[in-house]
Amino acid sequence: MSDPRIAGASVTQFGKHPERTGRDLFAEAGLEALSEAGIDPDDAEALYYGNFMGELAEHQGHQGPLMAEAIGLDVPATRVEAACASAGTAVREAVKTIRNGEAEVVVVGGAERMTNIGTAAATDALAIAADDLYEVRAGMTFPGAYALMARSYFDQYGGSHEDLAHVAVKNHEHALVNEHAQIQKEITVEDAMEAPTIASPLGLYDSCPITDGAAAAVLTTESYAEEHDLDAPVAITGTGQGGDNLALQDRPHLAQTPAADKAADEAYGDAGVGPDDVDFAEVHDCFTIAEVFAIESLGFYERGEGISAARNGETTRDGDRPINLSGGLKAKGHPVGATGVAQLATVAWLLDGSHPRADAVPDSTVGVAHNAGGTVASTTVHVMEVRE
Amino acid sequence: MTESAQDGEYDAWLDSIESDDGYYLECSNGHGWLPPRRVCPRCHDQDLSAVDLPESGEIASHTTITVPTPQFEDDAPYVTAIADFGPVSVTGLVRDVDPDDVTIGDVVGIDVGERVTTGDRAVVFRPR
Ligand SMILES: [Zn+2]
């Protein structure tokens, strides 16, 4: 069993590109990843592609073969849907395919076109990741769901909206040098506190923006990389996935994310590492509170203690374990079906030193990507390590 | 939604709430769920029986939503809450109380009301 190497990766500029079709967004990322990898496209044997709302945003189903064609490949192509964890789940499928010996070169990616339908329709589309009968019909929106979780967290463990503001300030600051980021604007705690409320206690700056974008990566075996003299020092050494009840009302705790606990345990076990070995992580901060849940589930903090990490400067770029050096979903943007692969690319670039924030984690050897779907009813965790 | 077929056991459950005859499904180990369910997802028990829903529950968490989906455009701002009825929790709209006055632990009763924007039925909670 060979741990897949990341031979090349690419992300488009994340932002408002309402006129760009999903297939064009993915073509840009996919072709650049292939070229970056320096692999003969004829050697690619499969595509796993993440997308969440293609039917609603582009009236387009059956996107697997469409996207393979868009990057010039004639390979078995499978679309993976797990809400916001679609691309992380696609990565897991690609990892399994390579480990099983079924393919030597696999392309993995994702794309989402969202801003073309406007904020109201995008809010509507995002909401369908929740339980339609019991949540959406009771007015639950995506921010509303995380607001319920945030209020429950404050009630059970303490913390305040101001603690969350520090998460937003940190991630905005991290994104300042990321040219792929949707938002490159420094904000203050006051800005975040004074922003309009969208679903109390969460305000505008607690939420990631609505984003168009795509990401892609080319995975290959260690032996293929050696034979073809590829520059692919980063391996995916651990993969994990966990699930939970879809509806919040059916979970024993509103302020915990056991799906992520399970995914993290599995991925760490798979890689043979523990939370203390991890130098940095890209986590799914669709809302500021989601970063808090993520760093607790990843074992970096005890329950109830992740809330003060950003405020204490422990997760900033000069902190002990930087979180979301890309700017996270919060500032980088969240093209839903692409996010998990954009995280993978970011971790690889931070490990190989080519990311503009790599100076924050020099000599790092272990990075983690945490990608969560809906209210964390699906989560994937991937451990990546430098293997010269 | 008004023109489409009913949603089986879900609409039947709403009917039961509307006629003050609310219930939930309970497995042999006391785990509670709302229909339709054929198996307890926690313990795999398929012996689920209908049990009377307690008359009142407690707000477990709540949010005032100011940026709604188009289906709730005229409802906003509105309060969505999860209320704890013991073995089962239910999500609904909190009515008849100022959104700023809703607090975790508030005791509420359950009913069926209308959504302002679409007129569709929805679970509503009112202070008791
Ligand atoms: Zn049970």
Side-chain angles (χ1 to χ4, degrees):
Chain A
M1 190 180 81
S2 158
D3 283 331
R5 295 299 182 95
I6 300 168
S10 176
V11 299
T12 65
Q13 206 276 324
F14 284 3
K16 281 190 183 156
H17 309 293
E19 76 295 344
R20 289 191 64 184
T21 58
R23 67 187 83 182
D24 179 56
L25 288 165
F26 186 66
E28 180 190 331
L31 288 171
E32 199 172 300
L34 281 164
S35 136
E36 195 68 26
I39 279 180
D40 181 348
D42 279 343
D43 286 356
E45 292 168 274
L47 168 67
Y48 291 98
Y49 167 82
N51 174 265
F52 172 55
M53 56 168 68
E55 287 82 357
L56 298 173
E58 294 199 281
H59 199 249
Q60 183 66 64
H62 205 179
Q63 293 197 9
L66 177 72
M67 295 305 171
E69 190 180 340
I71 58 171
L73 299 184
D74 177 14
V75 295
T78 307
R79 171 181 167 187
V80 179
E81 190 274 305
C84 318
S86 296
T89 312
V91 170
R92 186 170 157 80
E93 293 307 309
V95 168
K96 288 195 283 188
T97 302
I98 286 182
R99 282 182 167 180
N100 290 343
E102 289 170 28
E104 283 198 298
V105 177
V106 175
V107 180
V108 63
E112 208 74 63
R113 184 182 183 191
M114 302 174 72
T115 70
N116 61 315
I117 55 175
T119 302
T123 303
D124 194 31
L126 287 166
I128 70 167
D131 182 324
D132 181 64
L133 296 180
Y134 283 105
E135 296 187 310
V136 179
R137 295 184 193 193
M140 186 98 86
T141 59
F142 192 35
Y146 274 91
L148 291 167
M149 296 167 84
R151 195 184 302 278
S152 178
Y153 187 102
F154 296 160
D155 182 60
Q156 289 182 48
Y157 302 119
S160 68
H161 188 218
E162 193 170 331
D163 292 314
L164 297 181
H166 283 273
V167 176
V169 169
K170 166 180 77 71
N171 290 348
H172 275 253
E173 202 277 335
H174 286 173
L176 289 176
V177 297
N178 182 358
E179 60 178 14
H180 300 294
Q182 181 165 4
I183 305 171
Q184 287 186 286
K185 188 181 100 179
E186 201 153 12
I187 61 164
T188 64
V189 169
E190 292 68 36
D191 292 335
M193 296 296 286
E194 284 163 15
T197 300
I198 51 176
S200 67
L202 302 182
L204 193 60
Y205 282 166
D206 290 299
S207 173
C208 66
I210 292 170
T211 310
D212 307 302
V218 181
L219 308 188
T220 187
T221 59
E222 192 181 319
S223 56
Y224 183 99
E226 268 173 29
E227 273 166 37
H228 294 81
D229 203 21
L230 303 179
D231 179 28
V234 177
I236 303 173
T237 58
T239 177
Q241 183 177 352
D244 200 354
N245 301 106
L246 188 68
L248 286 175
Q249 66 182 23
D250 292 330
R251 300 184 192 168
H253 304 284
L254 292 176
Q256 295 181 13
T257 52
D261 299 6
K262 290 179 251 181
D265 284 349
E266 187 187 358
Y268 288 148
D270 192 20
V273 301
D276 291 345
D277 300 314
V278 178
D279 296 308
F280 64 87
E282 287 289 305
V283 308
H284 198 93
D285 61 327
C286 48
F287 298 93
T288 48
I289 185 68
E291 178 168 310
V292 176
F293 289 129
I295 59 179
E296 292 182 2
S297 284
L298 287 168
F300 304 154
Y301 290 88
E302 296 293 321
R303 297 254 183 254
E305 290 178 9
I307 186 75
S308 48
R311 182 201 284 264
N312 293 343
E314 294 154 9
T315 51
T316 51
R317 64 190 166 93
D318 51 0
D320 287 346
R321 187 189 285 112
I323 300 293
N324 283 328
L325 284 165
S326 65
L329 284 55
K330 175 71 199 77
K332 172 168 97 295
H334 181 27
V336 174
T339 285
V341 171
Q343 294 176 319
L344 186 88
T346 301
V347 173
W349 294 330
L350 286 163
L351 286 172
D352 73 20
S354 61
H355 192 280
R357 284 286 184 222
D359 58 348
V361 284
D363 308 319
S364 60
T365 55
V366 183
V368 158
H370 158 286
N371 187 201
T375 49
V376 202
S378 291
T379 307
T380 62
V381 171
H382 286 99
V383 178
M384 278 161 269
E385 296 183 67
V386 179
R387 289 278 161 79
E388 284 309 334
Chain B
M1 236 165 275
T2 20
E3 298 295 320
S4 63
Q6 296 267 297
D7 283 311
E9 294 88 342
Y10 169 77
D11 274 305
W13 178 78
L14 274 187
D15 292 343
S16 79
I17 299 290
E18 207 161 14
S19 55
D20 291 328
D21 214 11
Y23 65 93
Y24 64 95
L25 300 174
E26 193 174 71
C27 76
S28 313
N29 293 312
H31 304 132
W33 307 96
L34 298 179
R37 293 273 181 189
R38 290 179 185 233
V39 61
C40 173
R42 197 146 296 137
C43 68
H44 317 298
D45 184 20
Q46 294 192 26
D47 186 18
L48 305 181
S49 46
V51 178
D52 288 345
L53 189 72
E55 282 192 6
S56 62
E58 276 187 16
I59 300 281
S61 194
H62 60 94
T63 177
T64 303
I65 293 176
T66 38
V67 180
T69 64
Q71 288 75 32
F72 281 85
E73 199 177 350
D74 301 331
D75 294 70
Y78 59 90
V79 179
T80 290
I82 295 173
D84 180 351
F85 286 83
V88 74
S89 292
V90 187
T91 312
L93 298 161
V94 181
R95 295 268 170 91
D96 296 354
V97 53
D98 186 315
D100 291 339
D101 293 339
V102 179
T103 311
I104 290 177
D106 283 355
V107 176
V108 293
I110 187 168
D111 199 358
V112 171
E114 268 191 12
R115 283 154 52 176
V116 178
T117 315
T118 62
D120 286 320
R121 297 199 294 175
V123 172
V124 301
F125 302 131
R126 293 193 177 88
R128 283 178 77 96

